[in-house]
Structure formats: C-alpha cells, structure tokens
Amino acid sequence: MVEIEIDGKKVEVPAGSMVMDAANKLGTYIPHFCYHKKLSIAASCRMCLVEVEKAPKPLPACATPVSAGMVVRSHSDKAVQAQKSVMEFLLINHPLDCPICDQGGECQLQDLAVGYGKSESRYEEEKRVVKPKDAGPLVSMQEMARCIHCTRCVRFGQEVAGVMELGMLGRGEHAEITTFVGEAVNSEMSGNMIDLCPVGALTSKPFRYSARTWELSRRKSVSPHDGLGSNLIVQVKQGEVKRVLPLENEAVNECWISDKDRFSYEALGSAERLTQPMLKQGNEWKEVDWQTALEYVAHGLKNIKHEHGADAIASYATPHSTVEELVLLQKLTRGVGSENIDFRLRHSDFALDGQVAPWLGMPVADVSNLQRVFVIGSFLRKDHPLLATRLRAAVKAGGKLSVLHGADEENLITAANKIIAAPSDWLAALSGVVAAVAKAKEVAAPAGFESVAVSDAAAAIAASLLGGDNKAVFLGNAAAQHPQASALHAAAQWIAEQTGAKFGYLTEAANTVGGYLLGATAKNAAPAFSAPKKAYLLLNAEPELDAVNPQAAKAALQGADMVVVLSAFKHGMDYADVLLPIAPFAETSGSFVNCEGRLQSFNGTVKPLAETRPAWKVLRVLGNILGLAGFDYETSEAIRDEAFGKGVTDLSSKLNNNAKLAPVAAAFGAGDKLERVTDVPIYFADALARRSGPLQATADAAAPKARLSAALAQQIGVKAGDKVQVSQGSGSAILEAQIDAGLPANVVRVAAAHASTASLGAMFGSITVVKAGEGK
C-alpha cells in the first residue's frame, strides 16, 4: 500500500493506483469527463488536472500513478486555473444549444461549465460542424457537434461490449466519432453508450424530445427479462413510462443494462395492449366486465372438472411471471384438483425433477473472477448479455473459456477450446471430456466410459479445467432444453466434481429459479402440450412462440373446450375463449428470484392501463369465486412472505444443482441425418421485447433465416439469399437461406419464438430442407 496526501487528508491505496483512485477513496471530487471507473484510462479530456508537489505543471489525476509521500492539491489556485483553461478549450467548439439538448439537466459538461466556465467566450471564430450520423433505431447521433472526444463510447464497445462499433476518424478539429462505413450500432449493450456520454452527443432515439429530466419521477424496479435480474430505474411522466436506466448494483448488473432491459418499455404503449376483458361468443370477440369474465372462467373450470375430471385442466406460465403470480397459479390449479402446472414450456426432459433446483451455483459477481470456464449449450451473448460481459472480463484478465455447442456463435469472447457438434452428439462430446479428465487425473472413469475415444479438443478442455484455481462448468438454455438434458447434466456434474469446478445453470428467464423454488411444476412432468387437455390457463404465455413444440401446442389448444389467456397483449385470438388483461412488470408489484438465488422485489411504477389488473389480483379473485381456501391476500408482499419468509432475500441455500444420476457414455452418430439447432433470438424471447418497436427495428429482430453449412447448401443446390422449404413434423416454412460457416454439415439452424417458424415442430430433432418449389 502507498500513502499519499490529497488536500491535507492522508489515504492509503494499492501501488499502481492513480491519483483519481485515491481521491475516490477519500470522497474528494475531481472534475473529469473521459475517466470512468469501469473503462481503461484515456487521459484525453485533461479536465482532472491537479497540482502535484514538486511537479513543474499540473498533472491529470486519472493517469498519474501514486508514489509514496506524494502531496496532491485538487482545489489549489494552480489546479483550478488549469481546470478552467481546459473548460475554456472544451467550449470553444461546443454548440451552446442546451435549451434543445436532451441531455440538459443531466449533462456533465453543463454542470462543470457552471463551476469552471467563464460567462463569455474570448473566441469569435466559427464553430466547427460535424455531420449527423445514423446509428440505427436505438442510439441517436444527430448532434455529434457536441462531442468532446472523451472516447468513453469507443472504449465501452471495445472493453465491455466486446465489439468496436464506434471509432475516431481524423485529427485536430477534423476529429469525429463515427460508426464504421455507415453501419448501424447493433450490439445488445449499445444503450450503455448513451449513459456514458457526458454531453448530449449520444442520446436515446426512442426517448428523444419526449420529456425533460426534471419532469421525470424515478422509481426502482427489476428487469423481467433474462435470469440476471438487472436493477432498473424507471422514469415516469404523467403516468407513462418514458425511460429505463440502470440502477447501479455491483453484485448484479454493475452499472450496465442490456438493450432489452432498456428499451422493452416501448411495448407498454403498444397497439396490441389488451385493456378490457374479452369473451368469444359465436366466433366474435366481445368486451365484458371483470365479473362476467371471471365467473365465465370459474363456471367453465367447474364444468370441465365435472365432465372430464380435474386432470383435464392444465396451467402454463412463462418463467417471466413473478413469484406472486406463480404461487397463486399453482394454488389455483392444485385447488381445483389438477397437478398439470408448469413454467418450463421449452423443456422436454424432466428426469431431474425432485433432485435439483437449478441455479448459477455461485454469486453473479464471482463470474468476473473465473480462471477456467466450460459453457455447454448456450447462445451466450444473446441469451445472457450481462453474464457474457462478466465472462469477457474474466477472459481478458487471463481466464480460459471452453465451449460445447451446436453452432460456432460469435460471443465476442476469445474461446481457448471449442467443440461444435450436432445437438444429438453433445452427450458424446461430453463423454470424451469425461474420459479425458479421468485419464489426466488417473482416476477410474464412470462405468461404461472405458472405451470412449478422447479427441484432441476433449483433452484440451479437460487440461484447461484441471489447471487454474477458480473454475466453473455452466449449462446454458439449449442444454437445459435438450431432449437429453438430464444425461448432459450428469456428465457435466461429474466433470465439475472431478476438476474442482463450481457447477451451475445460466438460467433462462427472470424467475426460472423462483419457479423451481415455488414448486410450480407438475409431479410427473411431460413436455408442455404433449398430452392434450380440455381446459388451459395460460399466464403470460404465447404457446406458439414459447413452447418446445409449437405444432403440438397449437393442436392441443385448438382441440380444447376452454382456453383462458392472461396476458398484457392481444394474442391467441384463434384458439382462446377468454382474454384477461393483466399488468406487465411496470404496472404491478412483485418479485423475481435471479440466477444466483437473490430475491428481488419491486413496486409498480405506473397505474395499470385502463381495465388491466395485476395478475396476482386476478388469480386471487378467481380463487375466491371458485371457493378455494387460502386466497385472502391483501398485498403481493403477503404472498411473497408466505412463500419465502419475511425479510429473506438470499435463497441460495434452498437451491441445489447436484443430481444422483450416474453419467452415461454415448458415441458420435454417423452424421447422416439433418437435425435442427434452435436459438431464441434476444428480442423474441418474451412478450414485451416482441412488441417493442425500437427493438423490433434492430438487426437482431430480423426475420429468422434457415442457416446452413456450405456443404449442405451445395448438396441441395442453394446459395445465400435463395428461398428454402424447411419441414419438421407436420408443418413447414419457407425461409431465406444463409450460409453459416460455424455449423456442422448436418445441422440446420432455425430460430424459434417467431411467427414465421411457429409452424415447425420441436426445437431439437430431425428436419428436412429443400430448395423452395422442389418440396412435396
């Protein structure tokens, strides 16, 4: 540790720290623009000049290393004069357009100009002009003349998001920040550049000119999307959500959020919002009052139970539903005598039920410090944007990432080892790693693994996991949804145990872990909609987009006597009988349990739209109408406290990834049959993202293509851009072909969760592809 003095106060900091770090530790504010605690040092703005004893001129606090006995003055006449001179230079070319600037009121330049700027300029020359840029639907670069070249946005892209989408062209007064050759900004983390910009050069395109910062009230919330549970600040004006920003929480999302977290609020005002209960009568939809709708549902459920038995009733929710909603949905379902309740709509293997309650297996913050990581079956960057940034940081710090997947996905993280194999060969690939670990450790392999051949890639992954101290093996969404999920789990668990690695799941959605803890699962679970029922209650679910097999889901729903849709949006009009408008996350209170077992509660930020009601209230009243016991809750907090206990926030002790399954060896297939690998695109993963206009205008929301290996494309005679007919089960779809060099020869990658692919079958399994017009 090195002791230095700043403004008469002594402080100890680690050797190699900068003066700015020491000032931060003391709580001494030094003005700055380019410095940011999460980014590398640029020292380009010079606003943080300070006086250092024995130094001939002021030095930048952000780039001056501490030395023993150093004496620093941050507010001396010499320092302040230097800071004022820098401010004068910064304002020479700045367009003084604060009255129309979206950043007005939360602008660092504006704030510091008050303290360090002069009331008038000595310069009368014309100000420079920088042409506006088009960076896509999320980030506005219309006023780049305001840019002060702090390069925070450039460094963020390189260092955190992993892709350099902005850079600086030119020198001197011709220097400007721009995108590459007119490209749009497409990173799933791009909105953070808006927060980082200390002036109004980068602003939010959807929010632009819609409100002033001082008109907005700020409310805390939690992201309803991926399994991380990012902390949010929801900003509201006149009962309408205007903007969503990150709430800093170093243990969860640091100071970042993904674009899905940031811009999905645009769906709250979608034309597809369901605002009034609706009943289908004689094939016509009619708006009704709540009493009529709920009594219709209760009457229908009683009739179906009477005529077909309670087992003919099933309830399905998505894992984006809150703790409170899942508690009451399963209470209601079991209250009418049915066990058919589940939230794992994309799963097809339930052999681990009763043995595990899957979770990350470690605190989220520890992911940044991992030295060896093995990720199995994950479209990592799009499924878990913020966990990917932590893994990226770990690899940059010297960690080694190994991947087993069905597509060589660009995660913007350097992978030390990769096995890219068809999904049916994942178990065989893991068997190779099991055998390699046993051989390297000179321990007995599990029974049946004696004759498993070890490939070079499997040996490299085993060697990687056996080195280093801080290690983890993670199963991704695709592994959890795999038809052999339990066998993959058993092999991965054995590898983790033998290599001393932590073992966990990169969980799918905001409340996946909560769903397991609450027991919102059937006792003898089967893939959703695989056994048709007479009545369905659907909570937040769009089965044609959310189920493992959309074909089976559609058939089951169309054959049912009653389908009740509880949703914030109008959908399922062809198979539903009742539509009940429930409140999305911004309009209801509730809780989510994130991937590390952290229980996070939030309040509604605006009032529910029109006749919309929080889902927990709808289910409570429905329980009362049905005459069920235990539906007398006054608040959502009462439901949460009953489920987990009062004041409890850490639920990790109730979670468990260790199963009692013995690993089973498998051999690689012949590779002669085509099979599907399926991703769920980031902006189609849930109902809110699907209806956010700005997100749907991004490259990530483009209609799915049939992605083929070059060998397969040549075999069926198609080239990129041609139309192909993709068939699976009883349905087919016409899609545009795309050549993907990162796919095995016998794999076709087709996204799920999109209307254009909803006619296809299961997310895994055999598939056929022919040139359009040549099919049956």
Side-chain angles (χ1 to χ4, degrees):
M1 298 292 277
V2 175
E3 185 179 81
I4 73 165
E5 183 185 301
I6 300 179
D7 297 337
K9 296 177 187 167
K10 286 192 163 50
V11 63
E12 280 193 350
V13 288
S17 299
M18 301 297 154
V19 170
M20 186 71 90
D21 301 324
N24 288 343
K25 190 171 180 183
L26 270 178
T28 299
Y29 179 72
I30 297 175
H32 60 271
F33 292 113
C34 68
Y35 167 81
H36 190 276
K37 62 184 178 182
K38 294 286 181 184
L39 303 176
S40 62
I41 294 163
S44 59
C45 76
R46 317 308 274 184
M47 191 66 213
C48 63
L49 291 174
V50 291
E51 183 184 353
V52 177
E53 205 170 78
K54 296 181 184 162
K57 57 185 180 180
L59 299 175
C62 69
T64 303
V66 296
S67 58
M70 180 185 269
V71 176
V72 177
R73 297 181 187 93
S74 69
H75 295 99
S76 66
D77 289 346
K78 190 175 180 181
V80 170
Q81 191 50 50
Q83 290 159 1
K84 285 186 171 180
S85 299
V86 169
M87 178 56 73
E88 186 174 20
F89 283 130
L90 286 174
L91 292 177
I92 289 172
N93 274 313
H94 197 77
L96 300 178
D97 59 353
C98 298
I100 62 131
C101 178
D102 245 15
Q103 196 95 332
E106 51 187 11
C107 171
Q108 269 180 271
L109 187 69
Q110 204 177 45
D111 293 344
L112 292 181
V114 172
Y116 300 92
K118 295 184 175 178
S119 58
E120 58 188 38
S121 175
R122 295 187 289 168
Y123 292 84
E124 294 175 359
E125 291 77 10
E126 283 185 18
K127 291 182 182 283
R128 78 185 199 131
V129 175
V130 182
K131 276 179 19 187
K133 319 281 189 298
D134 184 5
L138 305 180
V139 180
S140 172
M141 297 179 75
Q142 288 301 300
E143 286 93 9
M144 291 308 290
R146 297 172 184 157
C147 177
I148 60 167
H149 304 154
C150 69
T151 68
R152 280 183 177 186
C153 55
V154 178
R155 285 175 286 147
F156 171 81
Q158 284 178 299
E159 297 163 18
V160 181
V163 55
M164 186 175 171
E165 293 184 295
L166 298 180
M168 191 185 286
L169 290 178
R171 300 186 67 179
E173 70 168 7
H174 302 294
E176 58 182 274
I177 299 287
T178 183
T179 59
F180 284 93
V181 206
E183 290 285 312
V185 172
N186 287 322
S187 162
E188 62 286 347
M189 299 284 288
S190 67
N192 293 292
M193 296 194 286
I194 300 166
D195 298 339
L196 286 171
C197 185
V199 295
L202 302 180
T203 53
S204 165
K205 211 172 244 188
F207 172 70
R208 199 170 155 75
Y209 298 148
S210 64
R212 284 303 202 173
T213 179
W214 53 84
E215 299 173 316
L216 300 168
S217 53
R218 291 156 175 76
R219 286 136 198 199
K220 294 178 183 178
S221 193
V222 178
S223 164
H225 301 295
D226 61 40
L228 191 77
S230 297
N231 290 199
L232 309 177
I233 297 171
V234 177
Q235 298 191 330
V236 175
K237 178 186 176 185
Q238 293 172 345
E240 191 182 335
V241 176
K242 289 291 185 184
R243 188 164 61 163
V244 173
L245 298 175
L247 174 63
E248 186 169 346
N249 185 339
E250 206 54 40
V252 181
N253 54 304
E254 301 175 270
C255 54
W256 318 121
I257 52 174
S258 69
D259 288 353
K260 183 159 62 166
D261 298 333
R262 185 184 298 271
F263 296 110
S264 68
Y265 75 87
E266 283 282 313
L268 299 173
S270 160
E272 290 181 51
R273 276 300 296 270
L274 179 62
T275 56
Q276 184 83 21
M278 297 177 80
L279 288 182
K280 191 192 275 181
Q281 294 172 334
N283 268 350
E284 271 191 38
W285 283 99
K286 293 202 166 65
E287 291 189 346
V288 296
D289 59 55
W290 272 105
Q291 189 73 17
T292 305
L294 292 176
E295 283 179 357
Y296 178 91
V297 173
H299 184 68
L301 290 174
K302 284 176 181 172
N303 273 0
I304 286 163
K305 180 181 178 180
H306 178 68
E307 290 175 24
H308 304 282
D311 192 52
I313 299 168
S315 299
Y316 289 121
T318 65
H320 302 279
S321 307
T322 66
V323 163
E324 293 76 5
E325 291 163 6
L326 290 178
V327 165
L328 293 191
L329 184 68
Q330 61 126 350
K331 237 184 181 186
L332 183 91
T333 310
R334 295 192 163 114
V336 297
S338 172
E339 270 299 322
N340 303 316
I341 163 85
D342 220 321
F343 65 94
R344 302 164 298 175
L345 303 190
R346 293 196 175 108
H347 287 219
S348 50
D349 177 3
F350 301 93
L352 293 170
D353 279 12
Q355 294 193 50
V356 298
W359 68 299
L360 188 64
M362 59 168 64
V364 165
D366 290 358
V367 173
S368 305
N369 305 317
L370 290 170
Q371 294 174 5
R372 299 286 187 272
V373 189
F374 184 22
V375 176
I376 301 157
S378 177
F379 293 92
L380 186 61
R381 180 180 153 208
K382 302 300 182 183
D383 287 348
H384 312 283
L386 286 153
L387 282 174
T389 64
R390 286 190 181 270
L391 283 174
R392 195 171 293 123
V395 169
K396 282 192 161 190
K400 296 275 190 292
L401 172 68
S402 302
V403 171
L404 164 60
H405 198 30
D408 194 356
E409 181 78 341
E410 180 48 86
N411 287 314
L412 304 174
I413 308 171
T414 306
N417 311 292
K418 282 181 189 173
I419 299 178
I420 306 301
S424 62
D425 286 332
W426 290 2
L427 189 55
L430 273 186
S431 299
V433 179
V434 167
V437 168
K439 186 178 175 186
K441 279 191 77 182
E442 296 180 349
V443 297
F449 282 78
E450 299 79 13
S451 57
V452 171
V454 176
S455 66
D456 292 346
I461 290 172
S464 174
L465 284 172
L466 287 164
D469 295 325
N470 223 342
K471 301 175 274 197
V473 175
F474 292 128
L475 293 167
N477 294 356
Q481 293 156 1
H482 197 283
Q484 295 173 297
S486 53
L488 295 175
H489 177 111
Q493 183 182 322
W494 190 91
I495 292 164
E497 286 168 353
Q498 293 299 317
T499 57
K502 295 271 176 61
F503 176 50
Y505 278 81
L506 305 172
T507 60
E508 179 185 2
N511 206 27
T512 301
V513 174
Y516 279 103
L517 284 173
L518 298 165
T521 53
K523 285 204 165 56
N524 298 303
F529 304 101
S530 55
K533 304 293 178 188
K534 290 294 180 185
Y536 287 101
L537 290 176
L538 304 177
L539 175 62
N540 293 314
E542 298 174 69
E544 63 274 32
L545 304 178
D546 294 327
V548 64
N549 187 332
Q551 273 175 15
K554 208 80 187 276
L557 290 164
Q558 281 166 343
D561 290 353
M562 184 174 78
V563 177
V564 182
V565 171
L566 292 90
S567 174
F569 303 98
K570 290 179 185 170
H571 60 81
M573 311 286 272
D574 53 338
Y575 53 73
D577 298 285
V578 191
L579 298 181
L580 301 177
I582 59 166
F585 86 106
E587 299 171 14
T588 181
S589 56
S591 313
F592 295 124
V593 184
N594 78 348
C595 57
E596 65 179 353
R598 181 188 294 257
L599 177 66
Q600 301 186 108
S601 297
F602 56 92
N603 291 316
T605 51
V606 291
K607 284 182 179 162
L609 187 66
E611 285 299 303
T612 302
R613 296 288 179 268
W616 70 267
K617 289 188 176 179
V618 175
L619 291 166
R620 179 194 65 188
V621 175
L622 191 52
N624 290 334
I625 294 172
L626 284 164
L628 303 176
F631 280 82
D632 305 321
Y633 305 101
E634 291 297 318
T635 63
S636 61
E637 290 80 5
I639 307 172
R640 177 199 66 200
D641 293 347
E642 183 182 283
F644 295 128
K646 206 165 186 175
V648 176
T649 55
D650 181 7
L651 299 167
S652 57
S653 60
K654 298 183 177 183
L655 298 165
N656 164 48
N657 289 324
N658 294 324
K660 297 178 175 65
L661 286 182
V664 179
F668 282 92
D672 54 347
K673 288 184 183 148
L674 277 190
E675 55 183 286
R676 178 179 176 184
V677 68
T678 308
D679 60 313
V680 177
I682 182 169
Y683 302 139
F684 296 130
D686 61 75
L688 276 173
R690 286 170 196 146
R691 291 169 178 85
S692 166
L695 292 181
Q696 290 306 310
T698 61
D700 273 324
K705 296 181 178 178
R707 295 167 70 160
L708 323 168
S709 66
L712 176 58
Q714 192 176 1
Q715 185 186 329
I716 62 174
V718 299
K719 54 187 187 298
D722 287 354
K723 289 281 190 279
V724 292
Q725 182 178 343
V726 181
S727 304
Q728 204 186 4
S730 59
S732 63
I734 304 290
L735 302 173
E736 188 181 313
Q738 181 182 345
I739 310 301
D740 188 338
L743 288 174
N746 64 324
V747 167
V748 182
R749 178 172 167 182
V750 181
H754 190 271
S756 65
T757 58
S759 55
L760 299 176
M763 293 172 70
F764 296 88
S766 62
I767 194 168
T768 59
V769 182
V770 294
K771 194 168 183 175
E774 295 178 7
K776 290 173 275 188

